[in-house]
Amino acid sequence: PMDIGTTYCTTTPNSTGANGAISAFGETSVAANDVTLTASSLPPGQFGIFITSETTGFVPGAGGTSNGNLCLGGQIGRYVGPGEILPADAMGEFSLSLDLTMIPQGTGTVSAMAGVPRSWQAWHRDSVGLGSNFTNGITIDFTP
């Protein structure tokens, strides 16, 4: 396993003064089903989730609802199931191992498909401003 994906999108600093960041580790192979996302440089103790879409976008301030920029477009899925709403640890990080056969989208789930890029970012609570912020985004180009 290795660092995978390509980061994109500009972020705004959170209450720590840092810009939240997302990274991915694992395999780009759909068959391997081995991807772990990590959000870092977050306010320790604040909760967050990963969100995902097949479409990238850029909505400054998430349309007036956040201090950060939404870097996804189209149908956005949220990882809000059991064990998926995570607190940032003392280092300001949280991670989630993905099941590439159960990616949230709309009212159900979809599977990652080879040749169909998919993007993620982390959305987290913050103690300043409008109460939340985002990391940058990351896009993974999947292979069979």
Side-chain angles (χ1 to χ4, degrees), residues 2 6 14 21 31 42 45 51 63 73 99 112 114 123 126-128 130 140 142:
M2 58 186 185
T6 304
N14 58 46
L42 306 180
I51 58 177
D99 181 345
W123 184 16
D126 203 359
S127 59
V128 297
L130 295 168
I140 299 174
F142 287 105

Side-chain angles (χ1 to χ4, degrees), residues 1-5 23-38 79 95-103 112 120 140-144:
M2 58 186 185
D3 280 318
I4 55 174
S23 58
F25 188 80
E27 305 284 343
T28 58
S29 163
V30 173
N33 197 6
D34 177 20
V35 175
T36 298
L37 298 177
T38 298
Y79 287 86
S95 295
L96 182 66
S97 293
L98 304 182
D99 181 345
L100 298 179
T101 69
M102 304 259 312
I103 297 172
W120 283 266
I140 299 174
D141 292 310
F142 287 105
T143 59

Side-chain angles (χ1 to χ4, degrees), residues 57-134:
F58 185 75
V59 183
T65 61
S66 174
N67 297 343
N69 301 321
L70 178 62
C71 302
L72 302 174
Q75 267 201 1
I76 298 174
R78 300 183 300 165
Y79 287 86
V80 293
E84 294 178 340
I85 301 170
L86 302 162
D89 64 17
M91 300 297 295
E93 295 185 356
F94 62 80
S95 295
L96 182 66
S97 293
L98 304 182
D99 181 345
L100 298 179
T101 69
M102 304 259 312
I103 297 172
Q105 181 172 298
T107 57
T109 60
V110 296
S111 291
M113 292 183 289
V116 180
R118 182 166 271 286
S119 300
W120 283 266
Q121 82 181 125
W123 184 16
H124 65 90
R125 304 276 306 160
D126 203 359
S127 59
V128 297
L130 295 168
S132 76
N133 205 325
F134 294 90

